[in-house]
Structures are given as structure tokens and as C-alpha cells.
Amino acid sequence: MHPFIAELCVDARRNMLTASYATDALKKIAKRGAQKGIMMVNEVGLDPGIDHMLAMNLFEDIKQNNGTVESFESFCGGLPAPQFTNNPLRYKFTWFPRGVLLNALSEAKYLKEGKVVNVESGTLMQVAQQFEVLPGFNLECYPNRDSTIYKEAYGIGSAHTVLRGTLRYKGFSMAMDTLIKLGLFKSDKMDLSGYSWADLTKELLGNRSMSHQECKSKLLALFSGDKFRASTVVKLGLLDNDTIPAGIDNPMDALVEKLASSLMMPEDETDVIIMNHSVGVRLPSGKCETHRSNLVVYGEEGGWSAMSKTVGLPVGIAAEMMMNGEIKERGLVLPLTKEIYKPMLKKLELEGSWKDAK
């Protein structure tokens, strides 16, 4: 969709603004846009967006003090507030679940101690680790997309470790991996007419006609006696006798429907955004330090969600800067230069919704 809109903007000589990632297709179109004097501003939401700005601000401070960046690790998560994590995923959806599920199947790539680490599709949930920086939240983290490109994009060629990732509450990755191993992420066509959720689970275990007790025993055997994994299936309603809605013809679509009907965030609950940057720095004296930037934003009860604020506000600020002529670049524009990220961070702070805590 974005490349299609970008082409229209270039043809009509209109600027473009989006919080989304600048894809290779968009970058090609932006080169034509630059020739026509058009701005195509991308990655000015939360992640990507505020994460870029806070990172570049840190790097600038370090370089002004003649420090050398040796490592950079950045993690961000949009989560339900801790009191609303009463399900096996410890997560609720504020957008259609399919995107979250597909992300769990994604590949990832990052730099660790000078070596490129590749995570194969379907194994991402298996490499999640406990996140130690903010222990009060009981978080876990896993890599997101290709982090290696940010060594050049951020101008941190000296870094031997570059890792950008996702934050979730502890237990999310094991629950998701459970659903993957059960076969619910498959999109192979199945005739699910008249199937209940229990029928689908039993079919995936090899025998639709087995009893509930046999099914529970099979689940325990599949997960080597792990009661958390087996109970995840039960607590998500995947052994219920309710009929799967008509028109669904594969396990992935069935799972999307189940999660959309049971784990969407209600209007009377709130969310939280958690972001952390940790930068390993070597000073001219040879001493090593860790510089951190932490951002925690809570949604307002009966008001704006944390996700709405942290995505919508920077997009709105970028739009204002574009209209006021404060952004001089043409073509593809990202918030990686201080002429853009400095005023944006200042305006975000003036909004009074949060302040970066270092």
C-alpha cells in the first residue's frame, strides 16, 4: 500500500508522511520524489521513530565527549498495563492479531561481538531471553528484523554489537511457541465446517475423535510434560466446544479469529509503552561505561492509549515541521539528523506526556 501511495504523491507533487518503515521500494520512489522537490518523511512514530531519535541523541552526547560506541542494544514493546495481563500470552491486541502472529514467525538478524547472528523463520520465539534492565516489569526480549543495517544508518561503525528487539512480558514467547508447535500457525487448507475449537486441536494432534482426556494427555506428551504449555491451549479456549465461524479454512485464520474475539484490549483497560536503549561506551581514558535511555509511557484511563500518544504525537509534530518549512531535506527523510530529531524531541517533551529518563 505505501509504495502505491508514494507513487501517487510523486505524480501529484505532494509530500508524504508515514510512521512506517522505509522499504526498499519506497526508497526507490523517493529518489524520483527528490527530483521533484518532494519530502517523503518515514519512520516518525514510536518504533520506528522515537527509538531513532533517542538513540541519535545518545550517540551525539557520547561523541561530543570523545567516547566510542562499542555496543548498542535497543528494545521496545507495546503492552497491556501490568494489571491487565490475565491470560497465558500476558498480552492483548490493540490491532488485528494476524500482524503479531506473523511477526512471531519472522526471521531476524543482528550483530553480536563482531559476528552476524541469523534467526531462522519459525524459531524466533525460541531465542527469547529475560530482559534484566527493568526487572520490575518481568520482561523478556527477542530480536526484531535486521538490526545490522543500523550500524551504518546510526553512524556507529565502531560497534561490535548492534541489536534491536521487541519486549514482551515473560511467558509470551513460550505461549506463542506452544501455538506454533501445535500447528496453529499453518495456513494449509482444511475443511473446518462444523468443527469446534476442540475438534481443530484434536485434529492437529492426529485424531479428531479422541476424548478430552486423551487430548490433554497428548498435549502433555507433545510438550514433554510441560504443564504451562499444555494449560496455555486450555486457557486460550482451544478445547472449547464452540463452533469455529463459517468460512475459516485453515488453522492460522482460526487462531486469528480466536484471539481477536477473546484477547482484544477492552476500552476500560490501559496499556504501557516501554523502551530501553543501552549503549556500551569506551572513553578516551580507556574506561568503559553503559549509557542508557529509558522511556515508559502509560495510557490514560478513559483517554489516549500509550500507543496512540507515542505514535500519533511524533507524526503530528513532523507534519507541523513540514508545513512550517523546518524540514529542508527532499526525497526520503528519516529522523536521523539533529536538525530533525533535536526539535522533535524538544516538542515531544513540551507536550508533557513523558520525559526520557536516562
Side-chain angles (χ1 to χ4, degrees), residues 211-226:
S211 69
H212 264 44
Q213 190 55 49
E214 287 177 303
C215 181
K216 289 179 180 179
S217 297
K218 283 267 191 181
L219 285 171
L220 278 172
L222 176 64
F223 301 122
S224 303
D226 191 319

Side-chain angles (χ1 to χ4, degrees), residues 158-174:
S158 55
H160 56 66
T161 296
V162 180
L163 170 60
R164 283 165 45 94
T166 300
L167 292 175
R168 293 288 182 258
Y169 290 118
K170 189 175 181 181
F172 174 88
S173 61
M174 185 177 288

Side-chain angles (χ1 to χ4, degrees), residues 190-205:
M190 294 177 64
D191 182 4
L192 298 179
S193 303
Y195 269 55
S196 68
W197 297 106
D199 289 335
L200 173 58
T201 298
K202 292 173 183 178
E203 182 82 19
L204 293 173
L205 288 170

Side-chain angles (χ1 to χ4, degrees), residues 232-267:
T232 292
V233 177
V234 177
K235 290 178 179 178
L236 287 177
L238 296 170
L239 286 184
D240 291 353
N241 290 318
D242 299 338
T243 303
I244 295 173
I248 293 176
D249 62 2
N250 65 80
M252 170 68 93
D253 285 353
L255 181 60
V256 168
E257 169 62 30
K258 187 65 173 174
L259 297 180
S261 64
S262 60
L263 292 185
M264 297 300 289
M265 185 174 290
E267 290 186 5

Side-chain angles (χ1 to χ4, degrees), residues 76-249:
C76 182
L79 303 161
Q83 66 269 34
F84 300 120
T85 55
N86 53 340
N87 66 76
L89 293 180
R90 279 78 159 150
Y91 188 82
K92 290 182 181 175
F93 299 91
T94 55
W95 55 303
F96 205 51
R98 181 178 298 277
V100 177
L101 300 184
L102 292 176
N103 284 344
L105 292 176
S106 296
E107 299 175 345
K109 184 178 179 181
Y110 61 95
L111 188 66
K112 186 72 171 179
E113 301 294 342
K115 295 182 179 179
V116 174
V117 179
N118 289 288
V119 180
E120 295 181 0
S121 175
T123 67
L124 187 61
M125 296 296 98
Q126 298 170 26
V127 302
Q129 297 182 355
Q130 186 165 342
F131 186 71
E132 305 282 0
V133 178
L134 298 168
F137 282 105
N138 195 24
L139 299 167
E140 61 184 27
C141 59
Y142 52 86
N144 180 30
R145 300 181 181 241
D146 183 0
S147 299
T148 62
I149 62 174
Y150 291 97
K151 185 171 182 176
E152 179 180 353
Y154 286 164
I156 50 174
S158 55
H160 56 66
T161 296
V162 180
L163 170 60
R164 283 165 45 94
T166 300
L167 292 175
R168 293 288 182 258
Y169 290 118
K170 189 175 181 181
F172 174 88
S173 61
M174 185 177 288
M176 291 291 273
D177 189 57
T178 295
L179 301 177
I180 292 171
K181 283 186 166 62
L182 182 57
L184 283 163
F185 279 59
K186 294 179 179 178
S187 55
D188 302 336
K189 297 291 185 183
M190 294 177 64
D191 182 4
L192 298 179
S193 303
Y195 269 55
S196 68
W197 297 106
D199 289 335
L200 173 58
T201 298
K202 292 173 183 178
E203 182 82 19
L204 293 173
L205 288 170
N207 183 3
R208 180 186 177 187
S209 63
M210 73 174 76
S211 69
H212 264 44
Q213 190 55 49
E214 287 177 303
C215 181
K216 289 179 180 179
S217 297
K218 283 267 191 181
L219 285 171
L220 278 172
L222 176 64
F223 301 122
S224 303
D226 191 319
K227 292 183 179 179
F228 173 82
R229 288 180 179 268
S231 68
T232 292
V233 177
V234 177
K235 290 178 179 178
L236 287 177
L238 296 170
L239 286 184
D240 291 353
N241 290 318
D242 299 338
T243 303
I244 295 173
I248 293 176
D249 62 2

Side-chain angles (χ1 to χ4, degrees), residues 73-75 131 133-134 274-278 292-295:
E73 296 189 0
S74 170
F75 295 95
F131 186 71
V133 178
L134 298 168
I274 303 172
M275 181 184 292
N276 167 267
H277 294 334
S278 296
R292 288 196 172 96
S293 171
N294 295 315
L295 184 68

